Amino acid sequence: MSRRTSTKQKVYVYAVVPEFDGKILGSIGLDGGTVYSISQARVSAIVSEVAQNLRPERRHLAAHQAVLKRLTLEADAVLPVAFGVVADSPDALRMILSRNRAAVMDNLRHLTGRIEMGLRVTWDVPNIFEHFVATHPELRVARDRFFGGYRQPSQDDRIELGRLFDRLLMEDREAQTSRVEEVLTPKCVEIKRSKLRNEREVANLACLVERH
């Protein structure tokens, strides 16, 4: 099946895959939008019409991920696009695909027969600062010195304690993440570190693995 779209209609982009010309995946997109392909130069962008008032709400993020999951079952390779990317029109999107064909094809070849899996590691403790105080004597001594007795800690004291905590946090994260990567590396084609969201997170890894 094929789909005709207004040349001026903005489209929401989920991913780029090897040639998928005219294929429709159904009403699985944002706000139940029909997901279909726009093809150019042997590559296809997977899109739907833009949802009104597009925001990073849980239901929109879930729909975006659901489309990517479906594509991993139907396409040889999937080059995912970050949430929230909108093209001005199908023609503008075709021009982007054409201009960047070489880079897109290189990435798709690298991803063929492989999928990305995410791994998050967190400290499973009620209070991360208290956990570090209990496990790092250096931090415990500083905490007791600045906050012990009836002494009111100064702003400089608070800053110094915060810096010490941040240093120890970063050191422990690096050590633990390196241990995890050491175990995963023999099973992964590639591992990339992603941004951490809060103090409790140790690692956020994107792992490219063979599909089988």
Side-chain angles (χ1 to χ4, degrees):
M1 298 176 65
S2 62
R3 179 184 177 90
R4 293 183 179 179
T5 306
S6 168
T7 58
K8 296 183 180 180
Q9 170 68 48
K10 290 186 177 183
V11 290
Y12 180 86
V13 187
Y14 299 89
V16 177
V17 300
E19 196 166 16
F20 221 56
D21 195 20
K23 189 159 185 179
I24 297 176
L25 298 181
S27 301
I28 62 173
L30 274 65
D31 287 338
T34 300
V35 177
Y36 59 99
S37 61
I38 293 176
S39 300
Q40 181 73 22
R42 296 178 57 198
V43 295
S44 299
I46 306 303
V47 305
S48 67
E49 293 183 359
V50 179
Q52 295 295 322
N53 301 318
L54 179 62
R55 295 177 180 176
E57 299 174 0
R58 180 172 297 180
R59 61 191 179 93
H60 288 155
L61 294 167
H64 183 99
Q65 290 300 319
V67 172
L68 295 180
K69 185 175 180 180
R70 171 76 175 273
L71 287 171
T72 62
L73 302 175
E74 301 200 18
D76 293 331
V78 179
L79 186 58
V81 174
F83 176 85
V85 174
V86 175
D88 288 335
S89 69
D91 285 345
L93 186 53
R94 290 188 184 96
M95 185 175 296
I96 292 171
L97 293 176
S98 181
R99 287 178 175 175
N100 297 278
R101 179 181 178 278
V104 170
M105 291 298 293
D106 282 346
N107 278 282
L108 288 174
R109 279 192 287 268
H110 183 59
L111 294 172
T112 297
R114 298 164 176 169
I115 59 173
E116 179 183 314
M117 301 187 72
L119 174 66
R120 290 184 184 273
V121 182
T122 64
W123 277 291
D124 185 17
V125 294
N127 184 302
I128 186 63
F129 182 78
E130 291 301 325
H131 170 71
F132 267 68
V133 167
T135 55
H136 293 74
E138 180 183 0
L139 185 62
R140 183 164 60 252
V141 169
R143 190 276 310 268
D144 293 345
R145 183 171 74 252
F146 294 143
F147 290 85
Y150 298 98
R151 178 177 178 274
Q152 184 66 29
S154 66
Q155 183 65 19
D156 287 343
D157 292 338
R158 295 176 185 274
I159 291 174
E160 183 177 344
L161 189 64
R163 286 175 176 169
L164 177 58
F165 171 66
D166 286 342
R167 176 174 65 79
L168 295 172
L169 182 72
M170 294 299 295
E171 289 176 354
D172 275 24
R173 277 175 171 165
E174 179 61 33
Q176 298 291 353
T177 302
S178 295
R179 289 177 62 194
V180 173
E181 289 174 334
E182 184 179 353
V183 174
L184 292 178
T185 294
K187 300 296 184 181
C188 296
V189 177
E190 187 177 355
I191 300 175
K192 288 190 176 181
R193 298 185 184 186
S194 301
K195 185 177 180 179
L196 301 176
R197 298 178 299 182
N198 55 60
E199 290 179 338
R200 291 167 60 92
E201 286 198 334
V202 180
N204 178 14
L205 304 177
C207 307
L208 187 63
V209 299
E210 299 293 346
R211 187 184 293 264
H212 70 272

